């Protein structure tokens, strides 16, 4: 497989805070060039010129020296899907083949990146493992300023930064986290908590962005409101809400064990037994069973398996990761390869007696 | 737990032929004393006299020197259930508390025994692991002859040995085997094959005698006809029928792997993963999963686990075995103790890579 593709998971190797609940933190700014139509109403020629202007600017950006660069139209379906699973491109970038001239630039350490001609001309982002809202804001913001100096983004005194979708207008900032919330799901609190999120200016999505169902109790939470607040205010509020959710999740896991200790312990060990022995595992089942392992790791059931490893696994068991990393093709071969991958990984996770 | 109870499983430690299909072989003779009513229509005094006469005779029987002796009414419910699970008493002996004066004598090696005042005054039997029809016939027959010399059993020139139930009249011989037939069950051939059994003079029962359902694909097969055939003819016919069934079972297992290799392999490994990790396992689930392990042992999947060990496990996971051997009490404590027992046993059964 393409070396560059494999590198997209580098961020997964870093550590972050609250990894028992937070898989990843991400901040992005939606930005557009002045006097050029937004990508969806631009001509191919116009999009091509945007691409080249951005690429030239990026050559002068210190954070992106030696950038990993993908022209999306030159990647196959599996490769694009891999990048989306790795969280370095959006579902929008993966699915739509309708126009060329779309690109991704990633810093060699995959801390920051730029998507070109997604919904906006530029999506400037930073990505970290665990809960690092200020870090990702700072890195994305630094990169945004550097690029603004070079490209002069479309800005209105009245509205702030102009974006293709009005919901992004203003700061153009969206900060998001991927959370693993088995406690709140199993104690059936999650619906009620999520119903209150819009009032707090938050949006909830399933594991893989807007279109997907919740798999394995993973949820993406992001700020909805970008207008009328400063970047700092957005992140401060976001951080408070997520910290409150983390506390609720911890309490729910504690409650689960208090009320269903033995039953739950049994389920956790069965999940471990299946994952470390099965010969065919779908990604859906893998995520469900990894959820139970999460609760076991909380309780110190396994040696050599921690929350960081589980967060990596949640990304690595996905279909295109398995297909490309393990040379599998088609669902059956993938389920076999996934089972082998899980056995290898969990072989290191000996049960504590 | 009572030392004598534990000894009832000694037969399980021996080896026998065709252990991949046959758990145990058993032969028994139904015999009655002359001029005494059959147990169900005898008075307590009469049954007591039968018991004492048999006990006195047994003292002179070389095969039963140092016999393990149980007076059933002095055993608790769990102990009697343990003996039935071990296959050394019948369900009739276990369940009915309606009259006392019932006993069991076992040779110290648990190769032969006598039940007193079951349906007949004496049930003289021999028991072995695996498929040993001639051996159990020979041992039961030798013991029967010794006891006949001492007790002079009720016999009619016209009908043969007289028994409480007419179906036993004649030789009074019933020869039976406990078979494990997952192949025939999973390939859905078992019903058709069993439907033909009565025409062959055979009776089929579930795992635990007449009243029970089939659990985990175990079946007890025995000869139905005892009248008009010699003992040798009965065993010759029985042996042929069982050997034919063994061949059919082997073919079915082969076919299963040919047609569903990967799926089956997956199920086998999942069963192993669950049994070697779960914290609560019912006996029903244990038998179902051990069935899958059987198919894995056929294929050499596990080191340190063979068909002999699986046959022992099928007996040892049963409720009263777990309760008495593992000091458990009540279903939940039993399921926990059973899970621990299985983990200990399977810890030795490392997967072959």
């Amino acid at each position: 497989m393409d070396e560059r593709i494999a590198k997209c998971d580098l961020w997964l190797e870093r550590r972050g805070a609250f990894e028992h609940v937070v898989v990843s933190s991400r901040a992005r700014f939606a930005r557009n060039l002045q006097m050029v139509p937004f990508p969806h109403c631009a001509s191919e020629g116009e999009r091509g010129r945007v691409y080249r202007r951005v690429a030239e600017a990026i050559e002068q950006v210190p954070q992106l020296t030696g950038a990993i660069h993908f022209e999306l139209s030159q990647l196959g379906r599996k490769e694009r899907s891999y990048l989306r699973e790795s969280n370095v491109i959006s579902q929008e970038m993966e699915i739509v083949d309708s126009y060329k001239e779309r690109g991704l630039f990633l810093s060699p350490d995959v801390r920051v990146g730029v998507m070109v001609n997604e919904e906006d001309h530029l999506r400037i982002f930073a990505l970290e493992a665990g809960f690092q809202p200020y870090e990702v804001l700072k890195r994305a913001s630094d990169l945004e300023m550097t690029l603004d100096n070079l490209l002069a983004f479309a800005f209105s005194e009245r509205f702030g930064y102009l974006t293709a979708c009005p919901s992004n207008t203003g700061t153009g900032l969206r900060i998001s986290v991927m959370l693993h919330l088995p406690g709140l799901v199993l104690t059936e609190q999650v619906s009620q908590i999520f119903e209150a999120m819009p009032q707090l200016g938050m949006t909830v999505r399933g594991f893989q962005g807007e279109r997907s169902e919740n798999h394995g109790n993973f949820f993406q939470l992001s700020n909805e409101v970008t207008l009328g607040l400063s970047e700092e205010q957005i992140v401060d509020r976001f951080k408070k809400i997520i910290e409150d959710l983390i506390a609720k999740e911890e309490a729910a896991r504690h409650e689960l064990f208090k009320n269903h200790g033995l039953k739950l312990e049994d389920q956790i060990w069965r999940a471990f037994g299946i994952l470390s022995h099965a010969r065919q595992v779908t990604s859906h089942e893998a995520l469900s069973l990894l959820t139970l392992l999460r609760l076991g790791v909380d309780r110190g059931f396994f040696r050599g398996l921690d929350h960081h490893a589980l967060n990596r696994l949640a990304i690595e068991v996905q279909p295109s990761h398995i297909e490309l990393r393990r040379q599998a093709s088609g669902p059956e071969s993938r389920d076999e390869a996934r089972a082998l991958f899980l056995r290898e990984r969990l072989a290191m996770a000996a049960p504590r007696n």
Side-chain angles (χ1 to χ4, degrees), chain A residues 269 301 303 350-353:
Chain A
W269 283 109
F301 284 0
R303 275 194 305 258
R352 261 189 245 277
N353 290 326

Side-chain angles (χ1 to χ4, degrees), chain A residues 91-315:
Chain A
Q91 213 155 28
E92 161 101 11
M93 286 287 264
E94 180 202 352
I95 293 173
V96 178
D97 287 309
S98 51
Y99 50 86
K100 295 183 175 183
E101 311 292 0
R102 301 181 124 185
L104 170 68
F105 295 85
L106 289 172
S107 67
D109 57 5
V110 194
R111 283 193 195 272
V112 292
V114 180
M115 284 191 280
V116 185
N117 286 326
E118 200 239 28
E119 191 179 286
D120 296 289
H121 294 149
L122 293 92
R123 287 284 174 98
I124 300 161
F125 64 90
L127 182 64
E128 290 297 335
F131 192 46
Q132 313 284 11
Y134 291 114
E135 289 77 357
V136 290
L137 174 64
K138 170 108 185 37
R139 287 212 180 81
S141 190
D142 285 351
L143 180 56
E144 189 274 338
M145 277 192 286
T146 312
L147 284 163
D148 200 4
N149 288 335
L150 294 160
L151 293 165
F153 297 134
F155 182 82
S156 133
E157 287 298 333
R158 188 161 165 213
F159 297 116
Y161 287 97
L162 302 178
T163 56
C165 175
S167 69
N168 288 312
T169 300
T171 59
L173 170 64
R174 179 152 294 163
I175 181 151
S176 62
V177 283
M178 178 73 66
L179 302 183
H180 193 216
L181 302 174
L184 294 175
V185 172
L186 293 171
T187 56
E188 297 180 355
Q189 299 176 70
V190 80
S191 308
Q192 203 192 333
I193 288 172
F194 283 177
E195 270 169 31
M197 283 294 148
Q199 292 161 266
L200 298 170
M202 300 285 284
T203 300
V204 183
R205 298 186 186 85
F207 191 39
Q208 289 170 353
E210 314 203 12
R211 290 181 191 82
S212 69
E213 295 293 301
N214 158 41
H215 277 321
N217 312 312
F218 288 95
F219 301 92
Q220 187 188 303
L221 275 88
S222 58
N223 68 307
E224 189 58 57
V225 179
T226 71
L227 206 57
L229 292 169
S230 73
E231 293 171 4
E232 288 68 29
Q233 284 173 317
I234 290 172
V235 179
D236 288 345
R237 281 178 53 161
F238 183 83
K239 182 164 178 280
K240 257 190 91 183
I241 292 165
I242 299 302
E243 281 175 351
D244 180 56
L245 258 178
I246 292 170
K248 285 198 170 75
E249 170 65 17
E250 286 169 347
R253 293 186 194 175
H254 185 77
E255 194 195 327
L256 274 177
F257 263 95
K258 212 176 108 199
N259 298 338
H260 315 280
L262 183 64
K263 184 83 214 131
L264 194 55
E265 210 177 304
D266 181 54
Q267 289 176 325
I268 290 166
W269 283 109
R270 282 167 183 259
F272 181 80
I274 291 169
L275 285 175
S276 57
H277 289 90
R279 259 56 184 171
Q280 291 177 308
V281 180
T282 65
S283 59
H284 188 89
E285 185 186 20
L287 291 180
S288 298
L289 297 178
L290 287 171
T291 279
L292 287 161
L293 261 51
R294 172 83 66 193
L295 301 175
V297 167
D298 273 345
R299 297 268 144 177
F301 284 0
F302 316 109
R303 275 194 305 258
L305 187 67
D306 59 12
H307 290 296
H308 180 74
L310 286 178
N311 292 347
R312 289 185 61 166
L313 278 174
I315 305 280

